[in-house]
Amino acid sequence: MTKKIRNPKSQIPKLKYTLMTGNEAIGEAAVAAGCRLYAGYPITPQNELTAYMSKRMVEEGRVFIQSESELAAINMVFGASVAGARAMTSSSSPGISLKQEGISYLAGCELPAVIVNIMRGGPGLGNIAPAQSDYFQATRGGGHGDYRTIALAPSSVEEAVELTRLAFDLADKYRGPVLVIGDGILGQMMEPVKNSKFEIRNSKLLPKPWALTGAKGRKPNIIRSLYLKPGALEEFNKKLQRKYEEIKEKETRFEEALTRDAELIIVAYGTTSRIAKAAAQNLRKKNKKAGLIRPITLWPFPDKAIKEVAKNAKAFLVVEMSNGQMVEDVELAAKGRRPVHFYGRSGGGVPTPEEIEKEALKVMSSWFVDKKPRTTN
Amino acid sequence: MQTTRIICAGFGGQGIMTLGKVLATLGMKNGKSVSWMPSYGAEVRGGTAHSMVIISDSDIPSPVIDKADICIVMNKPSLDKFESRVKKGGTIILNSSLIESSVKRKDINAVKVPATEIASSLGNIKVANIVALGALVSKTKIVSKNKAISLLKEFFAEKKALLELNKKAFNEGIRI
Amino acid sequence: MTAKNIFTRPKSLRDVPTHYCPGCGHGIVHSLICEVIDELNIREKTIGIAPVGCAVLAYDYWDFDVTEAAHGRPPAVATGIKRILPSNIVFTYQGDGDLAAIGTAETIHAANRGENITTIFVNNGIYGMTGGQMAPTTLLKQKTKTTPFGRDKIREGYPLKISEMLAVLDGVAYLERVSVHKPANVRAAKRAIKRAFKTQIEKKGFSMVEVISMCPVNWGTSCEGAIKWIEDNIIKYYPLGILRGDKS
């Protein structure tokens, strides 16, 4: 079953860069990260990832399973994680809804796993075009119970490689499921990736003394999320919250561009952030002071960064491929100190730099209409 | 700072995706930022497939192209769909073997290439896409002819027979 | 004369009281599994999967590595574990709701892939943990909390013959239906469980033992009544015997 087949043709060629789709790049990143089991079920727009893994995992003598459902896939990942292996599944929005049961159990059992969501339009079957409408699901826990999942949002194919590798490390470090959140564009577009990004690192993986491997020479290990004794679950949930506080402290990631003297801060993530960055640059050419904050971790959200820029900026403009989800986190972080505006496209609509520029100018021009200077607190 | 946005469109099976990938790889080898974005799913089933390629001196904001500098259309439905998506002053390259009607707009340059017929005379209609590539390189100078040929050599390093055929197809396209 | 100890608690079974009701079959099935694990000397490489249902606390009673799994998902979890650790012994312990209702897809596909795992399927025809609702294997006319007028074939359909369904799959190496309502049946059940584990050790593919078991509390009867119910009704609809594998 796990015979190693070497196919020289599918090895990364010895060029400095390789042109890859986001889906393939995430797959190769998982291989490089030492993922030993991948299970998945076909759904557009992430099919290339499942297909890629069906080839690469077998070549590497690792486990690939096309599962009977998303539920089965996430539970196969659960099983591999129970056995101490790095494991990954991927899907797109409707399939990620099905995986929520398993994600909740992974969080409750404190099991590491990587789950990739290449988002498409919803609700329901929606369509197969790119979207960012699963932000709430990714950042609020997603399934039942009091838990959070680290959610990493790459904005380029190369960054998808970096963040997929990081996802495996963080999952092991904090013993829990970690999400990689992309959209249909990121999954299907091709961009050059530096080949060195796939180099196998020799750093040792964290030991997993909690894994089930057979109780040889030790007491049996038990993996469970059931706490029936009065007070036991509350105690466990507090432990989880302490872990989440540590993650907030240590793992919040974001990028900022042109923010130092910016009057308008555009906040966007993933594909949208690239477009927003271009809009900010165009606005600068017109002497309009716009900047960008790009959350790289959607959870934990970079609220300190938002608070910091709120000191000098006049307003925020949040841009998403949804009807407004992350905007709530920006509002929470800005805490009413600065107005938070929103521009969104959904159902497959992708904003252009010009659209964002227009929205930004609308917000900025309103400052000159009411002449009263805004007070800062 | 220059950015070239190219849409390639045609039937499934005309090598539209490959054409886009060859273009993107050319740009990459030239040290440019590049992106390639396919059409997919239900869109593909409708009879036309397309891919969008951007080659730029700076970072590429969105791989999705609204208005293209250059459009390669390999069949009639693609012409209908993408004629309006070419920028004023842009170029449209049509596969005149399969498109009898002509371009309606007067504000864009139309280049007619009998790509399928040329490919057929070379013995394999599948290289029509490379004929179109030749025409594109000749008309737009996005890369030099020599660079394009050296890339073709790499692409077909393991299939020598295909390399000769593709080189011929490319040179025929250049001649248009 | 020295006293000779001819019966001891299996090493794989912890010395703790269980939470099971009087007359329940789970305790018997737990013991049988532990005896078999001891006899095959595989305790140190066995990984069990406890279900959602009455046996949810099985890891409190078994003295080897155990994980929980979401309701219906043990075959998928077992697949993940076994593919990573092919030389360990992996088994699922599942009730009728888990295996034949909410987890039907996982059961059928793990069996059909011929996953080299063992499933112990405890069929008592009722949802015990939640207080006695209809199971997929509840018999026609049987009264439960959710079939107060008795199971009606028009309203609820027929009792599911999941083992018969699985028996036609090529991935299944061994499948037998046994019962634990009488001592002779208990002995036969142990033989079947041992054969199932051996099937896995010999890497032959998916093995499963369906164990007909008693739930007098939720059946609303006595222990004797439960034995009679199995004898007169259940094993008439669900006949005992080997469904797949050599009939030796």
Side-chain angles (χ1 to χ4, degrees), chain A residues 9 128 130 185 188-190 274, chain B residues 35-36 38 40 60-61 63 158:
Chain A
K9 266 188 209 164
I128 55 171
I185 290 179
Q188 304 223 317
M189 75 184 288
M190 275 186 154
R274 307 159 59 117
Chain B
S35 68
W36 172 91
Y40 43 77
I60 296 164
E158 285 167 24

Side-chain angles (χ1 to χ4, degrees), chain A residues 133 227 264 275 282-283 319 368:
Chain A
S133 43
Y227 296 88
L264 180 74
I275 304 165
N282 292 347
L283 285 161
V319 185
F368 303 103

Side-chain angles (χ1 to χ4, degrees), chain C residues 102-122:
Chain C
I102 197 166
T104 311
E106 284 81 355
T107 303
I108 289 178
H109 286 276
N112 192 52
R113 284 192 304 267
E115 293 295 340
N116 192 31
I117 57 171
T118 300
T119 290
I120 307 300
F121 165 35
V122 179

Side-chain angles (χ1 to χ4, degrees), chain A residues 188-207:
Chain A
Q188 304 223 317
M189 75 184 288
M190 275 186 154
E191 278 185 323
V193 181
K194 223 181 266 154
N195 291 336
S196 59
K197 297 281 174 189
F198 297 114
E199 269 164 18
I200 311 292
R201 295 176 199 139
N202 286 324
S203 58
K204 260 193 153 178
L205 299 184
L206 286 177

